[in-house]
Amino acid sequence: MTEAFVYLDYAASTPVDPRVRDRMREAGEMTCANPSSTHAAGRLTHGIIATAAAQLAGLLNAGPRTLVWTSGATESDNLAIAGGARYRNHRGRHIVTMKTEHKAVTDVFEQLAKEGFDVSWVEPDGNGILDPAAFEAVLREDTQLASIMLVNNETGVIQDIEALGGICRERGILFHVDAAQAAGKVHVDLSTLPVDLMSVTAHKFYGPQGIGALYIADRPGCHVDPILFGGGQQRRIRPGTLPMELIAGFGMAAEIAAHRIDDDLEHLRALREALWGGIRDLGGIRRNGDPDGFPGILNVSAAGVEGESLLLALEPLQVATGSACNSKSREPSSVLRALGLSDTDAQSAIRFSLGRPTTAGEARFAADRYRQAVLKLRGLAPGAGV
Ligand SMILES: *Cc1c(COP(=O)(O)O)cnc(C)c1O
């Protein structure tokens, strides 16, 4: 008998909501219906995009003219950081980020360092939280851009964007936030948050893959140089033909999320409680990150077991090791290392990420599987049915 896989990797990607699929089909049929009339097709296209922009702006409480469509958060991060740093080159060449950021941020900073920018990497505390005072301590006269994520993709840690952004605003530093794990999952209010640039992506909250956006605040001096060149679309900030169906689906995912965030959070809190409650008393278990972080993620290390063997023993659970995007490299997660974990603790880390479709039964099943796998690998339960 083959057991069905239990998908607990919603931080990597979420399944597309059926209403999103319907909306995408509808948008596709609408735009194909008028292939001969450029003007009619143009109006339809314009309407579909305007609707989606209003839906996404509604989710983030932003003005619709602040959004630039991209291919996802990777591109948004690149555009914000490389484009922002180059735009403000005259102001200075010092830029700041954290060691616990996603690769789509850290690799851009590495690239900018090669181009002559001076990068400071601030460190979080043992729970993964950045102390605003530690952040402020590295800022200089010539600091021109900082990038700090909202919800961490490996640990769920939430940064104090209001405090960090406030510090940047006082000093005229362009402030970018990677909100790929936050948008559609926790409340984000850009009408009050002191944020200049924010990256979001549809496939982390039940929208399609391959579509994202960059929010660019409508404030003087808040701008980015393009990183792509071509047509005149999107005020030349990001040229290229817009993918209508993906944008329509993104908008629908945003509208659905806006109505569900509180219910989703309550659901995830209950699930994470059940999962953690089922494994916490195993002994030698370390919970990585801040317990008050985003409830869709639980990251745990088990003393005396090795990550890859654990992952194998955990089948049929679809979970990630601490470093989902680096899992081929066998390097311990740099995010967890930055929290002060030893190589062995970082290597044994498993990220469970829960989603809207996750059931209480799946959470209990995951806890049982994890217990059995850890006990077996520690050699304490010979013959355990793993
Ligand atoms: C998924 C993710 C990205 C990359 O998003 P894509 O849309 O897949 O390019 C960037 N940052 C964070 C924090 C993410 O979780």
Side-chain angles (χ1 to χ4, degrees), residues 11 71-75 77 102 104 149 151 153 178 180-181 201 203-204:
S71 61
T74 300
E75 186 188 332
D77 288 345
H102 191 273
M149 74 204 311
V151 173
N153 52 300
D178 178 345
Q181 294 288 341
T201 186
H203 77 101
K204 302 289 173 71

Side-chain angles (χ1 to χ4, degrees), residues 134-374:
F135 175 67
E136 194 159 19
V138 306
L139 302 179
R140 315 190 308 218
E141 274 300 301
D142 63 337
T143 310
Q144 50 115 328
L145 177 140
S147 180
I148 304 291
M149 74 204 311
L150 209 170
V151 173
N152 185 274
N153 52 300
E154 290 189 34
T155 58
V157 167
I158 297 176
Q159 302 298 351
D160 189 349
I161 294 305
E162 197 167 345
L164 301 166
I167 293 167
C168 288
R169 198 146 283 190
E170 268 170 28
R171 293 166 173 256
I173 295 167
L174 204 57
F175 186 50
H176 169 249
V177 173
D178 178 345
Q181 294 288 341
K185 297 172 165 182
V186 300
H187 291 287
V188 174
D189 183 353
L190 286 169
S191 75
T192 58
L193 272 184
V195 168
D196 297 315
L197 305 164
M198 181 176 276
S199 303
V200 299
T201 186
H203 77 101
K204 302 289 173 71
F205 63 97
Y206 312 97
Q209 295 179 334
I211 184 73
L214 179 65
Y215 161 83
I216 305 178
D218 190 9
R219 310 175 57 237
C222 184
H223 193 63
V224 296
D225 276 355
I227 55 171
L228 297 176
F229 302 89
Q233 296 95 338
Q234 306 203 82
R235 290 166 282 146
R236 293 193 179 275
I237 297 169
R238 201 284 196 177
T241 304
L242 292 174
M244 213 55 53
E245 293 173 51
L246 295 178
I247 290 173
F250 191 7
M252 181 52 79
E255 183 176 320
I256 294 167
H259 292 106
R260 293 201 47 137
I261 287 180
D262 289 317
D263 288 346
D264 282 351
L265 284 171
E266 202 181 303
H267 175 65
L268 295 175
R269 262 184 221 112
L271 291 171
R272 187 174 65 170
E273 224 29 60
L275 179 55
W276 176 235
I279 59 181
R280 65 187 302 169
D281 63 342
L282 251 177
I285 297 292
R286 193 198 135 105
R287 182 172 181 173
N288 302 316
D290 176 26
D292 293 326
F294 172 63
I297 295 179
L298 178 68
N299 190 312
V300 286
S301 299
V305 304
E306 195 264 320
E308 231 149 292
S309 321
L310 183 55
L311 210 54
L312 278 175
L314 281 175
E315 275 199 283
L317 298 183
Q318 303 224 311
V319 292
T321 55
S323 48
C325 305
N326 310 325
S327 44
K328 277 201 194 103
S329 68
R330 301 214 50 178
E331 284 275 298
S333 154
S334 55
V335 171
L336 298 178
R337 295 287 286 119
L339 269 57
L341 267 72
S342 65
D343 275 356
T344 47
D345 274 351
Q347 237 141 14
S348 80
I350 294 289
R351 176 188 71 184
F352 297 93
S353 52
L354 315 163
R356 250 178 228 162
T358 309
T359 64
E362 285 177 339
R364 278 195 303 273
F365 178 74
D368 285 348
R369 275 286 162 160
Y370 185 81
R371 289 184 80 91
Q372 290 171 25
V374 168

Side-chain angles (χ1 to χ4, degrees), residues 1-6 316-317 365:
M1 195 185 104
T2 52
E3 253 170 321
F5 283 111
V6 174
L317 298 183
F365 178 74

Side-chain angles (χ1 to χ4, degrees), residues 100-154:
T100 50
E101 293 291 315
H102 191 273
K103 280 258 172 208
V105 168
T106 56
D107 281 3
V108 185
F109 276 84
E110 303 275 11
Q111 177 59 33
L112 290 173
K114 283 184 204 152
E115 293 174 20
F117 285 91
D118 187 4
V119 179
S120 287
W121 301 89
V122 278
E123 307 241 11
D125 67 15
N127 278 346
I129 296 171
L130 175 58
D131 177 359
F135 175 67
E136 194 159 19
V138 306
L139 302 179
R140 315 190 308 218
E141 274 300 301
D142 63 337
T143 310
Q144 50 115 328
L145 177 140
S147 180
I148 304 291
M149 74 204 311
L150 209 170
V151 173
N152 185 274
N153 52 300
E154 290 189 34

